[in-house]
Amino acid sequence: MGYDKLKDKKLSNPQKVFFVGAFDNMHGEAAAKTAHLKNGFISKYGKEYVSVLLDADGILGKLTSSDGLTVIILKKNSNQPIITSFGTKRKSFFDAINKYFN
């Protein structure tokens, strides 16, 4: 449902923003989950939707101890990420990322 809010929006990406969907709570092997999710995105949105990196095993979330929607900022010349977790608060998350969209 979260991706529905991004439908038809264009990503303004001079800062190299990436969206990652973590799907570690789905059953099955990573390759099968990824194929299933790709087919689902295409059948729902066609080929025009905000690109999402599919993290079938949820590794990024585990590395950052995220429990839901999270913004991770990596700054040039800094090896310390800024991590803001929104949990399941979708409105707060989308308010925070709206600046990246036209």
Side-chain angles (χ1 to χ4, degrees):
M1 285 191 275
Y3 301 116
D4 288 342
K5 293 198 178 275
L6 304 177
K7 189 174 190 296
D8 298 326
K9 290 191 175 187
K10 297 294 178 201
L11 186 60
S12 172
N13 206 2
Q15 297 151 325
K16 299 186 180 164
V17 173
F18 295 97
F19 289 88
V20 179
F23 299 94
D24 54 318
N25 58 344
M26 281 180 69
H27 298 292
E29 298 285 324
K33 287 195 279 188
T34 301
H36 174 76
L37 290 163
K38 281 182 184 178
N39 289 335
F41 272 94
I42 292 168
S43 69
K44 179 156 184 154
Y45 303 116
K47 301 232 178 200
E48 296 296 319
Y49 58 85
V50 173
S51 295
V52 178
L53 302 175
L54 301 175
D55 181 4
D57 292 327
I59 292 170
L60 189 57
K62 291 172 187 165
L63 289 174
T64 60
S65 300
S66 172
D67 62 348
L69 300 165
T70 302
V71 172
I72 301 170
I73 299 173
L74 303 171
K75 292 191 174 184
K76 197 173 193 176
N77 301 322
S78 173
N79 60 358
Q80 194 67 13
I82 300 167
I83 301 171
T84 306
S85 179
F86 297 92
T88 58
K89 297 176 187 160
R90 284 191 209 135
K91 182 174 181 343
S92 299
F93 172 75
F94 284 107
D95 287 346
I97 66 167
N98 266 339
K99 62 186 170 189
Y100 301 113
F101 291 95
N102 295 334

